[in-house]
Amino acid sequence: MSQAASSRFISGIVKDKYSGEPLIGANIFCIENEKGCSSDVYGLFKLEIPCELPVQIQVSYVGYKQVIMSVEDKDEQQFDILLESGIDLGEINVKANNSAQQRTEMSALEIPVRLIKNLPLLGEHDVLKAIQLLPGIQSGSEGRNGLYVRGGSPDQNLFQIDGTPIYYVNHLGGFVSVFHPDILKNAKIYKGAFPARYGGRLSSVVDLRMKEGNKKEHHGSWGVGLISGDVSLEGPIMKDKTSYIVAFRRVWLDLFVRPITKISFKDYSVGYNFYDFFGKISHEHNANNRFYLSMYSGDDRLGSDYHFKEDKIKGGTDYIWGNILSTLRWNHIFSPRSSSDITFFYTRYRYTTKQFYSADEVKGNNTYYTGVHDLGIKADFNYHISSKYKISYGGGISGSWFKPGQISQYYTSGNTNRKAEIGKQNRAEALNMFAYIENEWRISDFLIINAGARISDYNFGQKSYIAMEPRVLGAINLKKLGSLKLSYSKMVQPVHLLSYSGNMFPTDIWLPSSLSVPPGNSAEFSVAYEKPLFNNKYEISIEAYYKKLTDLIEIKGGVPLINAQSWDQNIEVGGTGTSKGIEFLCKKTQGKTTGWISYTLAKSDRQFNNVNRGKTYPFKYDRRHDLAIVVSHSLSKRIDFSASWTLGSGYPITLYNGVHRAITQDTWKIEDPFQDNFDISGTTNLYPSKNWLRMSTYHRLDLGINFHKQKGSKIRTWTIGLYNAYNRQNAVSYTFKHRNGFVKEPIVLYQQSGFPIIPTVKYSVKF
Amino acid sequence: MFFSSCSKELEIALPPIKIMPVVNCIFTPGKPFMVALELPSLPTDTTITFITNAEVTVFGDNGTSYLLAHLEKGKYSNPAAVAEAGVSYKLKAKTDNYPLVSAEDKIPLTNTRIENYSIKKRDDDDPINGSSEGKEHSYYNIALSIASDPSVKDYMGVSVVENRINARYSNGTVSYEVEENKYRQGYIKSDDLVITTEGLGSFDDQSTLFFRDHLFKADKEIVNVKVFTQFAKKFWVRFYTFSPSCYQYLKTWNIHDNTRSFDFWEIYEPLSVFSNIENGYGIFAGYSAIDQILTVEEQTN
């Protein structure tokens, strides 16, 4: 009671002084009572200060000048804090919300977008590629889609843009993700210790926030690279009230590849492209109400065509896949102590294959379609009861509509027209409801507890799966010795992805749990030690985890996915998995030279009763050792340089090491259909076990250099990169075949390698 | 796609395979056992090492036992060792350098039968893979009404030989001529749930489809099979009843054979072939089959 009488709360928004863009994760600290907090995803903060005025508030944010402001008016409860960028510009930082001791999070890493634009990457700067350089996170082998977090598979990652889930996040081959860095403000990944507000996936949460757009002036940028181009614009619609931001990117590989293949093969041509469009409107209705409308649309398109002019035959195949999502959010501040977010969202993923042909009067087409739509609403509330106790709670409801696979056929010849639909009835619906509560309790300067739970109900008509997911985190402040944190998280995943592991094409079929396929579960324990060094210039962290996965599914060996009408009969169920590891991260966050070293020692395996004779086998992307060294150096204001080197154990594969002849059914004897038809006419490959062989060690060096030149208000940048600088041939697969493809030559083992050395160049202008 | 040209020959030391004899024997009523013995080889080795000096014996639980003599190229048989349905047989093969190889199986008693059938021709409305050759992909749908004893688990298969009729066809660009009275292996597919759940519904060039009665909803079940041909006069349908081991072996071998060559794109996960051989590889299993002629002209029996 005495505390309540002697203190009160103030709230406000931390913004960039010149653009009005709210800043996520700024540190706000009251000097008098030594209480602190950090700004949320809207830049909003709530800080407890003494009633006795004046008080000094210190506000800091990486890359911005620190501000100390005075609160002198007791009626002043709400105000904006404007920060000026300029200090430590070009700084590279993997940071969390606050100093290590004060953070009530663990297993969470935040990547400033500025860092993403500094890293040397293949052609396009990309947030997921940057995330893959962090400990405990892997990319899979080259040319493959996916993000593998602590031994989890790609479908176990929840990706959210402005709070809306997105199903498919990679463009072809994992070349680049759908997340355009020009539109992003913040990216944060949770590998464990999941806050109760997140759910629905087993292994990670990637929370991405879009910029709101400049509320004061119109600005933009454009860039041209070897294979892609992009443009973005932002500015005020109503100065200081309403802003917009749009960004568009397109890869134009098809513009080169199609003519080349046409010339080379005469009757055939192949092309590939993708595009991403992001848009957002932010409106600050008044100090207490803000509205946001954001959307994304993106598609990949891979097409091949043939045209035999002499025979008047033509046709082709188009593969199209991508997402659409839209979000409407209302952020409301009730008081300096409490606020809410209401979010309406829609998201859709679909994959189609269209085949078409014509010859004289014969025409036809086949279309395969699979996809999922989600429509829902959720609400989040925050209430600061005191500076020592904060409560967050909320809930939501959403519907999901799945189409596991539908084939439409159309054929016409002369007067004959035929249509056929296969799998039209093949659809599933589900209703998902959840509620959660988080309690952050600062018991003392020594101990902080964040305990919460999430309850979810997944109903698909025939059955309702209700799950309770406890989440607990304890942080012990060891003062100068650093901090020690422990956590336990349970997660439930009610949707399943059928996707061939390693397949480059997005044959992703999302399906709900069913009577025979319950939701997947994970339980993760983790412990972490964190300590800042040398006046916060460096920070080290060591984290160990143990994760148990249950009710996993896997596609039965050899079962094709297309038209998966009886999908739950075509999978192995009841699988388990364990994943354990130790992650080390040392980062340098200040000075001209910045960067980090990360190392992970990990082991991940799977077990299914009907796979590998029931024995446990290594997870397909089990990587025992994983090392990344990332360095960025600012030579001058005009030139900065960066390099990253990665080293990892080879991934396990299932290769055969023996062969023998096999008895099988020969074709029936033409003149005697009743004759016995079993004969030794085949061969069988012998696999010692599943994923028994490790491919060769993976390592790669990427280099990048940026040349900046400012002329007036324009900044022109040349970005030159070198992917796989020493042209390491990293293995993607092994296969036996005759040497040089000649049957008379002996059979030898070949390694298929990933991307060779690739130089990249991009010119961009910011205005 | 971007990097498929990047390949190099590797010289890595693969761990040696466990060398154990390979047994190949699938037996059926009324025919003598024919057991083939050999050794597995490395993937890079194309030579076959036959086992020619083994002592191969087959014991039946009806008190019979037969010593099989080596014929040629690792094949062992005995004209008197004729398999019977319902008898459990044990194979023992003694060799000089390897532990005793053994296996046990029997030919199941037939609990299932085709009670009825209907045949319908489907013309042109299944243009496969964007092909303009719609006629080439015409098919006959054979609906087999199968009676099954619900108290017994049955493992079944069906394959088809067609007897073609003479016909000519032209779509203006391509012409076909089919000779009369020629037999051809019918390449078959099925969308039927009892077959697709076994993972075998969609491979090209399948000669046999496999299914169990665990998904049968009643004592009788209609199983639909598509035979891809245009001008058929008759079909010889061979209806199999397999032992569980025989079924597992044939099913997994078919999947294995259809999926193992997709190494780079990894469209399928590799699948090991089932084996019931102790101290060895391969299969020793039994089956029985009933053949039936289905006439197209009658359309419905």
Side-chain angles (χ1 to χ4, degrees):
Chain A
M1 290 298 288
S2 61
Q3 186 185 24
S6 61
S7 65
R8 67 186 179 99
F9 270 83
I10 59 169
S11 69
I13 294 178
V14 184
K15 294 179 178 177
D16 180 284
K17 183 177 179 180
Y18 298 109
S19 68
E21 185 76 39
L23 301 174
I24 300 172
N27 296 319
I28 304 99
F29 184 73
C30 176
I31 293 171
E32 275 71 16
N33 65 2
E34 296 190 334
K35 307 281 188 196
C37 68
S38 58
S39 57
D40 67 9
V41 294
Y42 300 101
L44 180 66
F45 70 90
K46 303 181 185 85
L47 181 68
E48 186 179 25
I49 61 169
C51 287
E52 193 175 327
L53 298 176
V55 295
Q56 304 291 307
I57 307 292
Q58 179 183 302
V59 185
S60 60
Y61 186 67
V62 175
Y64 284 77
K65 291 176 183 173
Q66 182 175 283
V67 165
I68 295 178
M69 55 177 288
S70 178
V71 179
E72 297 175 354
D73 184 351
K74 66 180 172 56
D75 294 328
E76 198 173 24
Q77 291 190 330
Q78 205 168 342
F79 41 84
D80 292 348
I81 298 171
L82 303 176
L83 297 186
E84 188 177 354
S85 65
I87 200 165
D88 291 333
L89 200 62
E91 176 179 281
I92 191 169
N93 186 19
V94 181
K95 68 181 190 63
N97 286 346
N98 219 322
S99 67
Q101 282 89 339
Q102 292 298 315
R103 273 179 235 150
T104 53
E105 289 178 334
M106 64 180 289
S107 307
L109 292 163
E110 202 167 331
I111 300 191
V113 174
R114 187 173 55 250
L115 159 65
I116 298 163
K117 292 183 176 177
N118 273 356
L119 287 177
L121 295 167
L122 179 54
E124 292 287 312
H125 296 297
D126 190 66
V127 61
L128 293 192
K129 292 293 179 195
I131 284 175
Q132 286 160 7
L133 295 169
L134 297 170
I137 303 168
Q138 293 155 28
S139 61
S141 53
E142 274 182 352
R144 307 307 205 218
N145 295 324
L147 194 70
Y148 299 82
V149 180
R150 289 184 172 175
S153 49
D155 61 306
Q156 295 171 1
N157 306 315
L158 174 64
F159 291 91
Q160 289 190 331
I161 300 179
D162 280 356
T164 299
I166 181 167
Y167 280 91
Y168 193 78
V169 297
N170 274 298
H171 292 298
L172 185 68
F175 175 71
V176 67
S177 77
V178 301
F179 307 116
H180 191 337
D182 281 352
I183 200 81
L184 290 178
K185 180 158 67 176
N186 192 264
K188 191 172 191 175
I189 180 164
Y190 295 88
K191 301 179 288 181
F194 302 101
R197 59 185 174 275
Y198 297 115
R201 298 291 189 277
L202 300 183
S203 288
S204 81
V205 175
V206 180
D207 194 355
L208 299 143
R209 299 287 162 175
M210 288 167 66
K211 288 179 185 173
E212 293 183 10
N214 197 312
K215 285 194 169 62
K216 298 179 185 298
E217 295 175 330
H218 293 278
H219 287 282
S221 67
W222 58 267
V224 181
L226 289 177
I227 59 163
S228 69
D230 58 68
V231 60
S232 66
L233 294 167
E234 60 181 310
I237 297 172
M238 291 168 60
K239 197 172 181 184
D240 291 328
K241 294 282 272 186
T242 310
S243 61
Y244 73 92
I245 181 165
V246 290
F248 181 78
R249 173 174 63 178
R250 190 190 192 279
V251 155
W252 46 51
L253 264 176
D254 54 331
L255 301 182
F256 302 109
V257 174
R258 227 174 238 292
I260 291 169
T261 52
K262 185 86 177 170
I263 292 166
S264 304
F265 302 110
K266 189 182 169 189
D267 300 321
Y268 291 91
S269 66
V270 178
Y272 166 73
N273 69 65
F274 70 74
Y275 81 90
D276 295 309
F277 171 78
F278 284 92
K280 185 169 182 177
I281 294 172
S282 306
H283 175 63
E284 196 170 321
H285 184 67
N286 54 38
N288 291 330
N289 293 286
R290 292 166 182 80
F291 297 90
Y292 308 89
L293 176 64
S294 43
M295 74 154 296
Y296 164 76
S297 172
D299 268 335
D300 287 51
R301 184 182 290 262
L302 176 66
S304 63
D305 297 287
Y306 58 87
H307 189 182
F308 306 105
K309 287 181 181 171
E310 290 176 2
D311 297 328
K312 297 178 182 175
I313 295 172
K314 64 180 179 180
T317 305
D318 280 333
Y319 303 87
I320 304 165
W321 64 97
N323 304 284
I324 284 179
L325 66 85
S326 185
T327 311
L328 179 63
R329 305 185 77 182
W330 171 34
N331 174 237
H332 177 66
I333 300 170
F334 295 100
S335 73
R337 288 173 183 267
S338 64
S339 64
S340 70
D341 294 314
I342 309 288
T343 306
F344 300 90
F345 65 90
Y346 168 76
T347 185
R348 184 221 66 184
Y349 163 74
R350 65 101 169 76
Y351 167 71
T352 66
T353 306
K354 291 181 180 174
Q355 298 172 327
F356 53 94
Y357 59 90
S358 68
D360 285 337
E361 4 174 80
V362 178
K363 287 180 183 173
N365 63 60
N366 300 336
T367 303
Y368 171 79
Y369 179 94
T370 181
V372 55
H373 301 245
D374 285 355
L375 180 66
I377 180 172
K378 59 183 179 179
D380 302 280
F381 299 89
N382 292 290
Y383 187 65
H384 283 65
I385 294 171
S386 73
S387 64
K388 290 189 174 177
Y389 185 49
K390 184 173 88 174
I391 187 169
S392 302
Y393 55 96
I397 182 168
S398 63
S400 299
W401 292 264
F402 300 87
K403 278 192 179 175
Q406 181 178 316
I407 297 172
S408 308
Q409 296 176 334
Y410 174 73
Y411 171 80
T412 177
S413 176
N415 297 324
T416 307
N417 293 303
R418 288 201 176 93
K419 282 183 182 179
E421 297 276 357
I422 301 169
K424 194 174 182 180
Q425 74 293 347
N426 190 19
R427 53 180 64 196
E429 297 168 359
L431 186 67
N432 186 21
M433 292 178 282
F434 72 92
Y436 73 89
I437 185 164
E438 296 174 19
N439 300 276
E440 186 180 309
W441 187 18
R442 292 176 184 267
I443 296 170
S444 69
D445 288 346
F446 173 73
L447 180 63
I448 308 170
I449 299 286
N450 191 334
R454 179 184 177 95
I455 184 165
S456 57
D457 175 22
Y458 198 78
N459 188 313
F460 61 94
Q462 295 166 296
K463 188 172 170 64
S464 185
Y465 287 104
I466 298 173
M468 174 65 84
E469 303 166 50
R471 318 279 173 87
V472 184
L473 185 151
I476 301 165
N477 186 350
L478 303 173
K479 304 293 182 185
K480 288 184 178 177
L481 293 175
S483 65
L484 187 67
K485 294 173 182 175
L486 300 99
S487 76
Y488 169 78
S489 293
K490 186 177 181 217
M491 299 285 273
V492 174
Q493 180 165 332
V495 292
H496 301 281
L497 175 66
L498 296 187
S499 179
Y500 290 114
S501 57
N503 186 8
M504 193 170 173
F505 287 90
T507 45
D508 287 358
I509 301 175
W510 287 92
L511 290 157
S513 295
S514 69
L515 282 173
S516 56
V517 185
N521 290 275
S522 75
E524 183 174 336
F525 298 89
S526 48
V527 55
Y529 172 77
E530 298 171 346
K531 181 172 168 51
L533 297 169
F534 306 113
N535 198 24
N536 289 326
K537 282 185 179 174
Y538 292 84
E539 189 173 315
I540 59 165
S541 68
I542 301 169
E543 191 161 334
Y545 66 89
Y546 177 84
K547 182 160 67 177
K548 182 76 181 172
L549 301 155
T550 53
D551 284 322
L552 299 178
I553 65 167
E554 183 159 312
I555 300 165
K556 283 181 180 174
V559 173
L561 279 182
I562 298 299
N563 195 23
Q565 292 181 42
S566 51
W567 73 277
D568 54 359
Q569 300 289 332
N570 285 344
I571 57 169
E572 304 290 351
V573 298
T576 60
T578 56
S579 187
K580 53 196 169 188
I582 298 172
E583 299 164 356
F584 171 80
L585 177 66
C586 176
K587 58 197 179 190
K588 182 175 184 290
T589 58
Q590 295 174 31
K592 284 191 172 182
T593 304
T594 54
W596 72 83
I597 298 172
S598 75
Y599 169 74
T600 305
L601 174 66
K603 187 179 180 197
S604 181
D605 54 43
R606 297 284 189 272
Q607 191 272 330
F608 287 80
N609 288 341
N610 296 323
V611 178
N612 199 38
R613 299 180 182 91
K615 293 177 184 170
T616 300
Y617 58 90
F619 177 51
K620 190 172 179 64
Y621 291 100
D622 173 41
R623 178 167 268 180
R624 192 74 68 248
H625 304 278
D626 195 17
L627 174 71
I629 300 172
V630 180
V631 177
S632 178
H633 180 70
S634 179
L635 292 167
S636 68
K637 282 188 176 178
R638 294 180 57 182
I639 302 173
D640 53 70
F641 163 84
S642 60
S644 68
W645 187 69
T646 52
L647 170 72
S649 311
Y651 286 124
I653 56 168
T654 308
L655 187 73
Y656 62 101
N657 69 340
V659 63
H660 66 75
R661 297 189 307 153
I663 192 165
T664 183
Q665 284 167 297
D666 203 352
T667 52
W668 286 10
K669 300 297 180 286
I670 294 287
E671 304 304 335
D672 185 5
F674 292 105
Q675 201 173 53
D676 183 30
N677 61 317
F678 283 94
D679 197 3
I680 301 176
S681 55
T683 60
T684 295
N685 297 341
L686 295 172
Y687 304 98
S689 63
K690 190 172 170 71
N691 294 342
W692 64 278
L693 178 68
R694 295 262 166 195
M695 290 193 292
S696 56
T697 302
Y698 182 97
H699 52 91
R700 195 187 80 220
L701 174 69
D702 300 337
L703 303 171
I705 189 164
N706 291 319
F707 299 96
H708 309 284
K709 189 172 184 181
Q710 184 154 13
K711 196 171 184 181
S713 61
K714 288 182 183 173
I715 301 173
R716 295 180 292 186
T717 302
W718 281 97
T719 302
I720 297 169
L722 205 54
Y723 180 90
N724 196 2
Y726 54 81
N727 197 28
R728 162 75 177 173
Q729 287 202 34
N730 285 307
V732 171
S733 70
Y734 289 174
T735 183
F736 288 103
K737 57 186 179 183
H738 288 278
R739 181 174 286 146
N740 301 321
F742 296 113
V743 178
K744 288 183 179 176
E745 292 284 326
I747 296 171
V748 294
L749 183 63
Y750 273 91
Q751 171 189 295
Q752 195 73 44
S753 305
F755 295 114
I757 182 171
I758 300 176
T760 59
V761 61
K762 185 171 185 178
Y763 177 71
S764 55
V765 176
K766 199 172 179 182
F767 54 89
Chain B
M1 183 161 303
F2 300 111
F3 49 83
S4 55
S5 61
C6 305
S7 111
K8 68 174 180 181
E9 189 178 326
L10 278 185
E11 287 188 14
I12 59 171
L14 290 174
I17 52 170
K18 190 175 179 183
I19 299 293
M20 299 190 294
V22 179
V23 175
N24 276 303
C25 177
I26 290 182
F27 49 95
T28 193
K31 295 195 174 176
F33 286 92
M34 177 70 76
V35 177
L37 291 176
E38 63 184 60
L39 294 177
S41 57
L42 294 171
T44 52
D45 186 2
T46 53
T47 57
I48 304 166
T49 307
F50 299 112
I51 299 175
T52 57
N53 58 351
E55 184 184 315
V56 181
T57 315
V58 175
F59 303 90
D61 67 355
N62 57 355
T64 56
S65 74
Y66 302 99
L67 183 66
L68 309 189
H70 180 248
L71 304 178
E72 58 165 357
K73 294 183 177 178
K75 286 185 176 176
Y76 296 78
S77 191
N78 180 341
V82 177
E84 291 177 43
V87 177
S88 182
Y89 292 101
K90 185 161 191 174
L91 172 79
K92 288 186 178 177
K94 287 182 188 171
T95 53
D96 291 341
N97 302 319
Y98 304 100
L100 178 70
V101 174
S102 63
E104 192 169 354
D105 202 43
K106 67 178 178 182
I107 301 164
L109 296 170
T110 304
N111 301 300
T112 51
R113 63 190 181 281
I114 298 173
E115 282 214 329
N116 207 341
Y117 72 89
S118 68
I119 302 171
K120 283 185 180 172
K121 189 177 183 186
R122 304 280 184 184
D123 230 359
D124 301 341
D125 58 351
D126 186 26
I128 306 297
N129 297 326
S131 166
S132 61
E133 300 167 354
K135 283 278 184 188
E136 249 319 73
H137 297 287
S138 300
Y139 65 89
Y140 288 83
N141 190 82
I142 304 176
L144 302 170
S145 175
I146 296 169
S148 167
D149 179 355
S151 64
V152 181
K153 286 183 180 175
D154 291 305
Y155 299 82
M156 294 161 278
V158 62
S159 61
V160 178
V161 164
E162 61 166 293
N163 179 206
R164 284 185 158 191
I165 56 176
N166 188 46
R168 287 186 183 186
Y169 168 68
S170 172
N171 65 1
T173 56
V174 185
S175 64
Y176 308 92
E177 186 165 339
V178 182
E179 291 181 42
E180 191 175 5
N181 288 327
K182 287 290 180 185
Y183 302 104
R184 195 187 74 145
Q185 179 83 42
Y187 290 120
I188 53 181
K189 289 187 178 184
S190 179
D191 296 327
D192 204 301
L193 191 65
V194 296
I195 294 171
T196 58
T197 50
E198 301 295 303
L200 290 160
S202 61
F203 297 131
D204 288 335
D205 299 344
Q206 285 187 106
S207 59
T208 306
L209 295 173
F210 300 90
F211 52 97
R212 293 174 283 163
D213 60 0
H214 72 304
L215 287 179
F216 282 18
K217 296 183 184 71
D219 296 353
K220 289 179 187 174
E221 181 78 16
I222 305 291
V223 176
N224 287 286
V225 174
K226 297 174 181 176
V227 186
F228 286 86
T229 187
Q230 296 175 63
F231 311 109
K233 190 160 63 177
K234 292 176 186 172
F235 293 107
W236 277 260
V237 172
R238 177 163 289 182
F239 181 68
Y240 299 92
T241 305
F242 299 109
S243 73
S245 290
C246 195
Y247 182 86
Q248 277 290 91
Y249 170 80
L250 291 170
K251 179 185 142 182
T252 55
W253 189 86
N254 270 274
I255 295 174
H256 172 82
D257 190 52
N258 276 286
T259 59
R260 60 178 156 175
S261 60
F262 293 89
D263 283 331
F264 179 73
W265 301 106
E266 298 176 83
I267 301 297
Y268 303 95
E269 294 288 340
L271 182 73
S272 292
V273 177
F274 173 84
S275 173
N276 65 345
I277 308 296
E278 195 163 335
N279 297 323
Y281 304 108
I283 189 68
F284 176 77
Y287 79 97
S288 61
I290 299 169
D291 293 316
Q292 194 163 346
I293 297 172
L294 313 184
T295 307
V296 174
E297 283 86 354
E298 293 173 8
Q299 287 293 311
T300 304
N301 190 8

